[in-house]
């Protein structure tokens, strides 16, 4: 892992920021020469600092909401400083103001997105970011979906829809009249619509469903040529009921969310045509001045596109679809249109069920190709021309998001819209097969939780996402300070939302927890640092023929059974098998990347779990299997079908390929999903992480030349899963994939410490450690060479077993600890057994009195001014603020102080851990005037032994709360229906002493 041991290497972006580009910024007259120096900690120093002080490039980022261009450059620069000082690595500027119902106050003609004030704000952000070592991402348009001003809804570049009209006709009846008009009127601003075709088809009741009218494909007739002067004349045959269907191509009139944002109003562009993309890139090329282009080189990160929500009453369309469909399938599209048209998202007509499934598959596969080729790839290449990258959420349509993820520099998912962790695993498969590094997440958006979200909740959400492949967090979010007509504590992009609390938080100095946020950003940055190291490893690739994500649909056996047994998996779709990395070596697919040990193929969940394979994909699978890749096929693949409409003889050719595949000795076909585990075992395949019992432990594995990193989280596959996760305490076996001897290190993402584990066993490449985690808690173990991270215990033996509470390496050597007196036996790795006598220690101490000094945050004279009211209470018993009369509606920062007496004989042979119990939200601990390292928010227990002394010891716990309890009374119209929340130090708090002794 070259990057790990780098002593002073800089990335291209860092070089630009410190040299050429900052020089360019300085030439603009605002940056003094001293700005060329990076902040301390951004350079990669000794190996220990690689983890302890992660570079800005891997630190979490903020989604930064602006009321479009109603911003001041000085305030923009100030907020960049606030974000940098808090330990974050960058921002994404997004024009979002759902909370402002009266949009006229924003004056889009003068302060809209892309206006001169907006550009001045962007320039100020980039200047200050270049000085502070941050990067700035820019959304491709205001809000979402991507839209730019100057595009009229009737323009070629605007988003399109295909609307339909229908008219029923009895057998033998004649219709003469206007072509059936669209079922829905065009959207506002759409003035033109073009008749694409008129058809007649006979109704087939046998094919009808609850919502769809069944039709006979063989009876579909094109009547377009019979239309004269917009009048249609046609007589239905005498054999059954018929329906006339018209198809109208027109602009969808879609505008970005919560507009208007610009003057003239921005219109969503066609996401499937070169014209739509050209409208976006052309608008940006016109906006970007020379100075802005230089600043983008210095501090620019990514252009960003949110999820693709092309809402329309009809069928998403683009003018070239008929030609593209014919190029892709060899068949005309028009005869199949009845099975494709939509009415507010619902299918209208259907042919025979299997044929309908095949038609829809072919159509959306064509759309997917257009989206990836003309939109994502074109935008990515354009971004590269500006030394930027493209980050995108490539889902929202029925397109292959797995393939999209492979195209993107940075694919992104979201904690709100993704229903379970498999949604992230879809994007991770595309990322890793393409050899890219980052999978981002729009993190922490919770419906109705504005100003009541805790960092605890955020961390529980992200814990599982990291195990599924996420390794960059874009926190949702940081709002610009103010806007017209807002109330204290300032502008919030999504609150109020329809008169109620909105989505997510407006983090920042307006939040009491901001005083502690460096602990959070440090933790997240260290997790990111580990999870961006080397290459991802996953046990199994799940072949998903329809590469949708944001669906909540997982994989048979693996999602329900495999994950609790330690298995990891990712999803691949057909296009990924064409990538350069899709080769097999030593039985591993993509050996330099995720190194999958097997490929799992099952029926297509999105089309009735049918055992389908495209002929081209089947040939790819056969080629990989012949190279030695083990495979497990679940389903009746000896009767495989094509997912799309087959060409003449294609089904037979497919079956021949599948028969050849199934005949290979390392390809296993099963029909019962419960047999997947046995099938893998029969192929000699086991997971890299193993334990004897089913567990809620989740894991992610990254491999480098110097270490295998295992991220472990006691979490769940989806937040909605019940029952709640319980604590776990069991052995876990981890596999080392590097050459040479490996020893385990514990990497504490809260404190930045990397220490060698003192109790473990070895068996070949396997290392077994004990894992004890509370719900949501995480742990990082590295298996690496002795001496890694500055470790000096390489010559010391470790413990194989001990009946002491804890075995650890301290500055004095291998040490055992216990909370009760007794004789403890420790078996060492060099064959010796050591007996240690530990003396009696005091019983756990529960403080009986606390002084609580509260800095109570209340509204000031302006929306951005906060008044601070000091309150002091004495507590004989801890309780949440909501149950303390003086603090029932308070929010802010509380400082708890108590005194604990210890025996005068206290020495270095003793220590203690401080258990905080329930505490909300963030906290810091000080012992005898010294602040201890950051507290794990999901397991608030901290070792304070080195700070204690005989006699009186002063313990202080500083707690910061969300603002919700204050806002309930300050803004009752918005927040009054929210129940009081229990914040503060609730406990029980205990100081639990231990005795310790060196054993080797």
């Amino acid at each position: 892992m070259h990057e790990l041991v780098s002593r002073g290497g800089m990335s291209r972006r860092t070089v630009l920021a410190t040299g050429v580009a900052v020089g360019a910024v300085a030439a603009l007259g605002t940056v003094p020469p001293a700005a060329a120096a990076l902040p301390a900690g951004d350079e990669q120093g000794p190996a220990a600092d690689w983890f302890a002080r992660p570079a800005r490039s891997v630190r979490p980022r903020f989604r930064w909401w602006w009321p479009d261009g109603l911003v001041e450059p000085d305030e923009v620069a100030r907020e960049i400083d606030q974000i940098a000082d808090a330990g974050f690595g960058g921002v994404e500027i997004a024009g979002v103001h759902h909370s402002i119902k009266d949009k006229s106050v924003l004056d889009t003609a003068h302060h809209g997105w892309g206006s001169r004030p907006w550009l001045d704000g962007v320039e100020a952000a980039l200047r200050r970011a270049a000085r502070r070592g941050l990067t700035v991402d820019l959304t491709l348009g205001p809000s979402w979906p991507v839209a730019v001003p100057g595009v009229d809804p009737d323009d070629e570049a605007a988003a399109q829809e295909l609307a339909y009209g229908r008219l029923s006709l009895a057998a033998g009846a004649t219709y003469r009249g206007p072509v059936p008009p669209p079922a829905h009127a065009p959207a506002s601003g759409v003035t033109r619509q073009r008749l694409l075709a008129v058809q007649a088809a006979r109704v087939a009741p046998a094919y009808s469903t609850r919502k769809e009218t069944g039709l006979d494909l063989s009876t579909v007739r094109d009547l377009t040529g019979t239309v004269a002067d917009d009048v249609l004349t046609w007589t239905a045959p005498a054999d059954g009921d018929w329906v006339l269907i018209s198809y109208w191509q027109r602009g969808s009139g879609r505008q970005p969310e919560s507009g208007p944002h610009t003057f003239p109003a921005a219109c969503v562009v066609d996401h499937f045509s070169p014209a739509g993309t050209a409208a976006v890139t052309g608008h940006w090329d016109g906006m970007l001045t020379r100075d802005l282009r230089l600043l983008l080189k210095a501090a620019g990160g990514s252009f960003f596109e949110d999820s693709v929500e092309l809402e329309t009453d009809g069928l998403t369309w683009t003018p070239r679809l008929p030609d593209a469909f014919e190029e892709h399938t060899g068949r005309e599209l028009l005869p199949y249109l009845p099975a494709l048209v939509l009415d507010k998202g619902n299918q209208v007509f259907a042919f025979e069920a299997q044929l309908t499934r095949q038609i829809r598959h072919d159509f959306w596969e064509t759309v997917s190709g257009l989206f990836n080729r003309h939109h994502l790839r074109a935008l990515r290449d354009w971004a590269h021309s500006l030394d930027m990258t493209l980050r995108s959420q490539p889902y929202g349509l029925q397109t292959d998001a797995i393939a999209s993820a492979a195209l993107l520099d940075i694919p992104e998912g979201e904690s709100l819209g993704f229903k379970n962790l498999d949604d992230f695993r879809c994007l991770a498969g595309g990322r890793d097969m393409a050899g890219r590094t980052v999978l981002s997440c729009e993190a922490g958006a919770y419906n109705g939780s504005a100003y009541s979200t805790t960092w605890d909740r955020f961390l529980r959400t992200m814990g599982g996402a990291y195990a599924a492949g996420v390794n960059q967090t874009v926190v949702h979010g940081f709002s610009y300070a103010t806007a017209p007509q807002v109330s204290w504590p300032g502008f919030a992009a999504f609150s109020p939302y329809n008169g109620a609390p909105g989505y997510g938080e407006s983090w920042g100095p307006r939040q009491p927890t901001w005083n502690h946020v460096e602990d959070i950003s440090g933790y997240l940055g260290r997790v990111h640092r580990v999870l961006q190291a080397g290459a991802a490893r996953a046990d199994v690739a799940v072949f998903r023929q329809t590469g949708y994500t944001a669906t909540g649909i997982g994989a048979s056996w693996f999602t329900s059974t495999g994950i609790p047994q330690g298995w990891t998996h990712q999803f691949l779709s057909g296009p990924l098998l064409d990538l350069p990395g899709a080769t097999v070596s030593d039985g591993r697919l993509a050996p330099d990347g995720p190194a999958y040990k097997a490929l799992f193929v099952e029926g297509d969940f999105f089309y009735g779990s049918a055992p389908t394979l495209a002929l081209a994909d089947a040939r790819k699978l056969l080629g990989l299997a012949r190279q030695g890749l083990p495979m497990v096929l679940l389903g009746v693949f000896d009767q495989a079908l094509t997912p799309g409409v087959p060409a003449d003889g294609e089904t037979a050719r497919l079956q021949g390929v599948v028969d050849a595949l199934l005949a290979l000795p390392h390809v296993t076909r099963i029909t019962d999903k419960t047999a997947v585990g046995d099938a893998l075992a029969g192929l000699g395949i086991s997971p890299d992480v193993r334990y004897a019992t089913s567990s809620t432990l989740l894991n992610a594995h990254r491999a480098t030349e110097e270490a295998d990193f295992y991220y472990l989280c006691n979490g769940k596959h989806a937040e909605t899963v019940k029952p709640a996760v319980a604590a776990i305490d069991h052995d876990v076996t981890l596999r080392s994939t590097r050459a040479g001897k490996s020893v385990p290190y514990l990497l504490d993402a809260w404190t930045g410490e990397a220490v060698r584990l003192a109790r473990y066993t070895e068996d070949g490449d396997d290392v077994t450690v004990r894992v004890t985690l509370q719900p949501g808690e995480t742990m990082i173990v590295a298996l690496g060479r002795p001496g890694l991270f500055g470790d000096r215990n390489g010559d010391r033996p470790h413990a194989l077993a001990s009946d002491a509470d804890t075995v650890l390496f301290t500055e004095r050597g291998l040490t055992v600890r216990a909370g009760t007196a007794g004789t403890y036996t420790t078996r060492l790795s060099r064959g010796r057994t050591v007996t240690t006598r530990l003396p009696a220690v005091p019983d756990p101490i529960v403080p009986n009195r606390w002084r609580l000094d509260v800095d109570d945050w209340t509204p000031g004279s302006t929306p951005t001014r906060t008044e601070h009211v000091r309150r002091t209470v004495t507590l004989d018993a801890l309780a949440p603020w909501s149950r303390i009369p003086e603090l029932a509606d308070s929010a802010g920062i509380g400082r708890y102080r108590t005194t604990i007496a210890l025996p005068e004989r206290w020495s270095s042979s003793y220590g203690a851990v401080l258990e905080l119990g329930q505490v909300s939200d963030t906290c810091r601990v000080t012992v005898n005037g010294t602040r201890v390292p950051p507290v794990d928010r999901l397991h608030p227990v901290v070792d304070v032994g080195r700070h204690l002394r005989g006699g009186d010891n002063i313990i202080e716990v500083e707690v910061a709360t969300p603002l919700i309890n204050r806002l309930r009374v300050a803004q009752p119209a918005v927040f009054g229906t929210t129940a009081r929340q229990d914040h503060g130090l609730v406990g029980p708090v205990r100081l639990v002493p231990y005795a310790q002794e060196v054993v080797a």
Side-chain angles (χ1 to χ4, degrees):
M1 184 176 59
H2 174 73
E3 187 180 21
L4 179 63
V5 297
S6 172
R7 291 296 187 267
M10 294 185 183
S11 67
R12 178 186 64 83
R13 181 74 64 185
T14 301
V15 171
L16 285 170
T18 56
V20 176
V22 170
V25 177
L28 299 176
T30 62
V31 181
L38 278 176
D42 271 8
E43 296 182 7
Q44 291 186 11
D49 285 349
W50 172 88
F51 175 69
R53 295 188 296 176
R56 289 279 190 191
S57 60
V58 299
R59 287 179 172 267
R61 314 171 64 79
F62 270 116
R63 181 155 291 177
W64 190 12
W65 295 303
W66 287 12
D68 292 327
L70 201 60
V71 296
E72 295 292 337
D74 288 347
E75 175 60 27
V76 166
R78 182 161 45 249
E79 293 182 13
I80 286 284
D81 284 338
Q82 292 166 349
I83 291 168
D85 291 343
F88 289 79
V91 295
E92 169 206 310
I93 297 174
V96 177
H97 41 69
H98 287 59
S99 59
I100 301 177
K101 287 302 180 184
D102 183 2
K103 297 300 189 293
S104 64
V105 304
L106 296 176
D107 188 10
T108 56
H110 297 93
H111 297 98
W113 180 89
S115 64
R116 184 69 259 170
W118 184 86
L119 291 169
D120 290 343
V122 170
E123 185 171 318
L126 287 164
R127 287 178 187 275
R128 188 56 59 96
R131 295 180 61 171
R132 298 304 306 272
L134 273 66
T135 53
V136 176
D137 296 353
L138 298 167
T139 58
L140 284 164
S143 194
W144 68 91
V146 176
V148 292
V151 175
D152 185 272
D154 291 326
D155 287 351
E156 174 193 17
Q160 305 285 306
E161 67 177 3
L162 188 70
Y164 81 99
R166 67 183 294 176
L167 189 148
S168 296
L169 206 60
T174 298
Y175 174 78
R176 177 178 175 80
V179 173
H184 300 283
S188 175
V190 177
T191 63
R192 297 196 301 269
Q193 53 186 8
R194 183 175 72 84
L195 180 65
L196 178 69
V198 183
Q199 295 172 337
R202 189 177 63 208
V203 175
Y207 302 152
S208 294
T209 67
R210 186 169 61 87
K211 293 184 177 180
E212 301 163 317
T213 300
L215 302 176
D216 183 347
L217 175 62
S218 66
T219 67
V220 174
R221 305 183 181 191
D222 184 2
L223 307 181
T224 311
T226 68
V227 176
D229 297 324
D230 296 327
V231 173
L232 170 66
T233 302
W234 187 71
T235 299
D239 56 344
D241 294 330
W242 290 73
V243 63
L244 297 175
I245 311 171
S246 60
Y247 306 96
W248 304 85
Q249 179 181 300
R250 65 193 186 193
S252 71
R254 181 83 162 91
Q255 293 191 4
E257 282 281 326
S258 195
H261 297 269
T262 61
F263 184 83
C267 184
V268 173
V269 301
D270 185 347
H271 283 51
F272 313 102
S273 72
T277 300
V280 176
T281 58
H283 187 83
W284 275 95
D285 288 340
M287 283 200 303
L288 291 175
T289 63
R290 175 181 175 276
D291 290 349
L292 280 172
R293 292 171 186 266
L294 290 172
L295 284 163
L296 287 178
K297 291 179 181 293
S302 299
F303 287 105
F304 172 68
E305 177 179 22
D306 215 317
S307 52
V308 187
E309 300 171 24
L310 298 178
E311 298 171 0
T312 169
D313 290 338
L315 177 68
T316 298
W317 192 254
T318 189
R320 279 206 68 247
L321 251 175
D323 291 341
F325 185 89
E326 188 165 0
E327 291 169 8
H328 181 61
T329 67
R331 297 182 299 278
E332 291 186 8
L333 174 62
L334 292 185
Y336 298 134
L337 276 181
L340 298 169
V341 290
L342 297 173
D343 186 335
K344 295 186 176 180
N346 297 311
Q347 304 289 161
V348 182
F349 304 104
F351 301 122
E352 182 273 329
Q354 179 175 311
L355 176 63
T356 300
R357 171 185 59 76
Q358 292 170 328
I359 292 168
R360 291 172 183 171
H361 176 277
D362 285 344
F363 176 80
W364 286 109
E365 192 172 69
T366 302
V367 173
S368 184
L370 293 174
F371 175 69
N372 286 338
R373 181 165 62 253
H374 295 311
H375 189 72
L376 292 185
R377 184 182 289 130
L379 287 172
R380 182 200 65 190
D381 293 347
W382 168 78
H384 291 178
S385 73
L386 294 167
D387 287 319
M388 298 278 282
T389 57
L390 181 64
R391 175 168 58 89
S392 177
Q393 297 176 355
Y395 48 87
L397 297 171
Q398 297 178 62
T399 55
D400 188 347
I402 298 174
S404 298
L407 287 172
L408 292 165
D409 298 303
I410 303 175
E412 181 170 287
E414 57 181 288
S415 63
L416 178 67
F418 277 16
K419 298 174 179 62
N420 61 40
L421 299 184
D422 278 326
D423 288 335
F424 290 109
R425 293 186 180 101
C426 289
L427 300 181
R431 173 200 64 183
D432 292 333
M433 283 296 292
R436 307 193 190 280
T437 299
V438 176
L439 172 57
S440 185
C441 178
E442 175 190 335
Y446 305 105
N447 187 14
S449 295
Y451 295 108
S452 62
T453 302
T454 63
W455 282 109
D456 288 12
R457 183 180 185 184
F458 181 96
L459 293 169
R460 285 189 175 90
T461 297
M462 293 310 301
Y466 290 136
V470 169
N471 55 11
Q472 173 176 284
T473 303
V474 181
V475 181
H476 187 290
F478 189 109
S479 293
Y480 182 78
T482 190
Q485 300 180 4
V486 303
S487 302
W488 181 84
F491 171 61
F494 292 100
S495 197
Y497 189 72
N498 295 327
Y503 286 86
E505 282 296 343
S506 285
W507 302 108
R510 69 187 68 186
Q511 295 275 11
T513 56
W514 193 254
N515 284 32
H516 303 157
V517 78
E518 282 184 88
D519 298 346
I520 306 292
S521 64
Y523 167 82
L524 296 173
R526 294 182 192 102
V527 171
H528 296 170
R529 174 66 286 173
V530 166
L531 294 180
Q532 291 185 30
R537 292 284 188 261
D539 295 320
V540 174
V542 176
F543 186 71
R544 173 156 282 178
Q545 299 175 68
T546 304
Y548 305 160
T549 193
T551 65
I553 294 178
S556 290
W557 190 82
F558 287 98
T559 297
S560 60
T561 304
I563 291 172
Q565 295 180 7
W567 288 92
T568 57
H569 66 277
Q570 295 179 342
F571 294 88
L572 311 184
S573 63
L576 270 60
L577 301 183
D578 293 322
L579 293 171
T583 60
V584 178
S585 177
D586 295 327
R588 299 294 183 94
L589 173 60
D592 296 328
Y596 305 115
K597 304 167 189 173
L599 185 68
F600 176 69
V601 184
E602 62 180 329
D604 193 335
F605 275 130
F606 299 98
Y607 292 99
S609 295
T612 58
L613 273 175
L615 179 57
D617 290 341
R619 287 169 172 162
K620 296 172 196 174
L621 297 184
L622 178 60
L624 295 172
R626 284 173 171 167
Q627 294 176 49
L629 179 65
M631 295 186 188
V632 175
L633 279 69
L634 171 61
V636 288
F637 278 94
D638 52 351
Q639 303 172 35
L641 304 169
T642 60
V645 177
D648 290 342
E650 186 176 358
T651 301
R653 291 193 297 274
L654 170 65
Q655 195 58 62
V657 174
V658 173
D659 289 345
L661 179 67
L662 294 175
L664 295 175
H666 50 275
V667 176
T668 300
R669 185 181 74 85
I670 56 177
T671 56
D672 183 351
K673 65 182 179 182
T674 63
V676 174
D678 291 340
L680 292 168
L683 293 168
I685 298 167
S686 61
D688 285 342
V689 177
R690 303 185 303 285
Y691 27 88
T693 183
S694 181
S695 173
T696 51
L697 189 65
L698 305 169
N699 78 85
H701 179 193
R702 305 285 299 195
T704 72
E705 292 181 2
E706 291 189 326
D708 287 274
F709 293 95
Y710 286 95
Y711 166 88
L712 308 173
C713 172
N714 182 16
K716 51 189 175 181
H717 188 63
E719 283 201 49
T720 56
V721 171
K722 294 180 180 179
V725 172
I728 59 173
D729 183 2
H730 58 73
D731 286 343
V732 175
T733 299
L734 309 172
R735 179 173 294 152
S736 173
T737 63
R738 58 178 297 276
K741 179 177 177 57
S742 290
V743 297
Y745 297 88
L746 178 64
L747 278 60
D748 188 328
W750 285 101
T751 66
E753 293 180 323
V755 297
R756 183 179 167 189
L757 282 170
R759 178 162 51 185
Y760 60 94
T761 60
E762 300 171 283
D763 182 8
D765 293 331
D766 292 342
V767 175
T768 300
V769 300
R770 193 72 176 179
V771 173
T772 304
L773 294 173
Q774 293 297 309
E777 190 182 2
T778 63
M779 175 181 179
I780 300 173
V781 178
L783 305 181
R785 60 172 173 81
L788 199 62
F789 305 109
D791 172 57
R792 298 180 180 179
N793 293 295
D795 295 332
R796 298 182 185 273
H798 65 273
L800 300 177
S802 177
D803 52 7
D805 296 342
T806 306
V807 185
L808 71 162
F809 285 112
T810 66
E811 295 175 355
R812 297 169 58 197
L814 185 67
T815 303
V816 296
R817 286 180 180 174
T820 57
T823 300
Y824 296 92
T825 302
T826 304
R827 184 159 54 93
L828 301 181
S829 57
R830 295 177 184 171
R832 188 163 61 96
T833 298
V834 179
T835 300
T836 308
R837 174 69 184 174
L838 294 180
V841 297
D843 291 334
I845 302 168
V846 178
N848 57 15
R849 182 175 290 264
W850 295 85
R851 173 191 168 102
L852 171 56
D853 295 309
V854 172
D855 173 11
D856 191 358
W857 290 30
T858 63
S861 56
T862 69
T864 56
R865 181 179 177 85
T866 298
E867 298 293 342
H868 299 268
V869 178
R870 307 296 175 181
R871 306 181 192 277
T872 298
V873 296
T874 300
L875 302 174
D876 294 326
L878 293 171
W881 292 10
S882 58
R883 300 179 194 173
I884 300 173
E886 301 94 325
L887 304 176
D889 294 316
S890 295
I893 299 172
R895 295 173 179 87
Y896 295 78
R897 180 185 176 105
T898 192
T899 300
I900 292 177
L902 294 173
E904 293 295 341
R905 61 182 172 83
W906 197 266
S907 68
S908 60
S909 295
Y910 300 94
V913 295
L914 182 66
E915 300 175 352
L916 296 181
Q918 181 182 335
V919 56
S920 181
D921 179 27
T922 57
C923 66
R924 282 178 171 171
V925 174
T926 300
V927 178
N928 294 324
T930 299
R931 190 205 298 174
V932 303
V935 178
D936 185 335
R937 284 303 313 121
L938 300 182
H939 187 208
V941 176
V942 58
D943 188 343
V944 297
R946 70 180 62 183
H947 306 294
L948 297 173
R949 62 197 178 203
D952 288 346
N953 292 264
I954 299 173
I955 308 293
E956 296 175 291
V957 183
E958 182 179 271
V959 180
T961 79
L963 284 177
I964 186 61
N965 286 352
R966 173 58 62 195
L967 283 167
R968 288 179 67 256
V969 294
Q971 292 189 46
V974 177
F975 299 97
T977 58
T978 303
R980 281 196 185 113
Q981 296 188 356
D982 291 344
H983 296 303
L985 181 61
V986 181
V989 175
R990 300 196 314 161
L991 186 73
V992 183
Y994 57 76
Q996 60 184 6
E997 188 63 51
V998 174
V999 297

